[in-house]
Amino acid sequence: MNMVDGLTAYKDTRLHTAIDDASPHQLVAMLLDGALQRIAEARGAIERIERADDGLAVGQVATKGEAIGKAIAIIDSLRVTLDHEQGSELAGNLSGLYDYMTRRLLEANATMDGKMLTEVADLLKEIKAAWSQVPPELHRASE
């Protein structure tokens, strides 16, 4: 095993341990962070495409598409886990917002519009900020 393989295995093990030990509240926070990270990756790829010659741009187009696809998958995971029975109005509003974000990400992917990525990232940051304000005594309420 070379050093890169060892580092990858370490990261994978650390991530799985963090997921296994996380409360539902922490898992949502991790998903929000993951979506924000993927959007940042896509935004960076778009910036590199705009500055690059044709040879380098091809690889960045794939990077952009993969990152946006992963962000969409994460947002969809957040959407499908909403509890519409306990938080009907809030869950409905979040579901609509997640749907909107997905459409904006798809459009950003097609048009290479970094502003759309920033818009979605800003919305996710607002959700994350609100999520971080949930009182600790409610963090394990859904377990």
Side-chain angles (χ1 to χ4, degrees), residues 52-75:
D53 62 19
D54 291 339
L56 181 61
V58 172
Q60 294 305 310
V61 170
T63 299
K64 170 197 58 93
E66 288 173 19
I68 289 175
K70 288 176 182 179
I72 289 170
I74 292 168
I75 290 170

Side-chain angles (χ1 to χ4, degrees), residues 89-100:
E89 185 178 350
L90 178 59
N93 290 342
L94 279 171
S95 182
L97 186 57
Y98 290 146
D99 182 57
Y100 173 78

Side-chain angles (χ1 to χ4, degrees), residues 25-36:
H25 185 270
Q26 291 168 321
L27 288 173
V28 170
M30 291 169 70
L31 288 170
L32 292 167
D33 285 339
L36 287 166

